Amino acid sequence: MKRLLLAGLVVVVSVGLYLFQPWRLFTTVEVDEALPTSAPTTTSATTKPAAKPAPSTEVLATGAFRSHEHSTSGEARVLRLPDGSRVLRIENLRTSDGPDLRVWLSDQPVTGSWFNLDDGRWLELGELKGNKGNANYAIPASADLDRFTSVTIWCKRFKVSFGAASLVTA
């Protein structure tokens, strides 16, 4: 009987560790991608980002992150690059690391609560590249940016927003 209970406990603890990955509370993945001049083609870069967009890069929308389930800060900018492609640039991001984090554009407003961000339409731009630093996320040409008014760092596993920013047209 004790062996059966011990085996059950091992299974429960193993599943809990897999789902919650508590060590991620103490890890940091830092990324520092350069400001793009054309659509990003790779997921990593080591060059220092420019302080401001190149003159031919147009800023379409901006927003500051606010915390939801985890302390989150940083800025989001939607850019139109000289080649016509669009990119979501997240700068000075600071948030917790977590399992299965994604970057979403959403049509929902950013409030003090995150419960609405998956209610309407959303567009996943990819996995969060790092929970600290600067990163670029390509926006598909088919995306209607008039529809998407916010960006969120979304934990797909637990269906919560770590933080989000309202996108205000520049």
Side-chain angles (χ1 to χ4, degrees), residues 52-68:
K52 294 188 178 187
S56 57
T57 298
E58 181 184 2
V59 178
L60 302 176
T62 61
F65 278 94
R66 67 185 295 181
S67 300
H68 283 150

Side-chain angles (χ1 to χ4, degrees), residues 49-150:
K52 294 188 178 187
S56 57
T57 298
E58 181 184 2
V59 178
L60 302 176
T62 61
F65 278 94
R66 67 185 295 181
S67 300
H68 283 150
E69 282 299 297
H70 293 262
S71 179
T72 302
S73 63
E75 297 83 34
R77 294 191 295 161
V78 177
L79 307 174
R80 183 184 332 270
L81 303 179
D83 66 2
S85 62
R86 299 168 304 174
V87 170
L88 173 68
R89 175 140 174 100
I90 298 178
E91 295 180 324
N92 304 312
L93 180 67
R94 286 191 174 278
T95 192
S96 300
D97 195 8
D100 209 9
L101 295 180
R102 307 301 173 123
V103 177
W104 282 8
L105 293 177
S106 172
D107 66 353
Q108 297 297 299
V110 176
T111 65
S113 168
W114 55 264
F115 294 106
N116 65 316
L117 288 169
D118 63 342
D119 288 348
R121 291 183 179 259
W122 49 267
L123 173 65
E124 183 176 309
L125 300 181
E127 292 183 12
L128 185 68
K129 296 175 183 180
N131 62 307
K132 181 179 177 188
N134 309 299
N136 306 306
Y137 299 88
I139 299 173
S142 61
D144 180 1
L145 293 181
D146 291 332
R147 167 169 279 166
F148 297 110
T149 57
S150 61

Side-chain angles (χ1 to χ4, degrees), residues 5 18 21 32 41 49-51 72 76 95 99 104 122 136 165 167:
L5 286 173
Y18 169 76
Q21 299 178 0
D32 196 8
T41 56
T72 302
T95 192
W104 282 8
W122 49 267
N136 306 306
L167 294 173

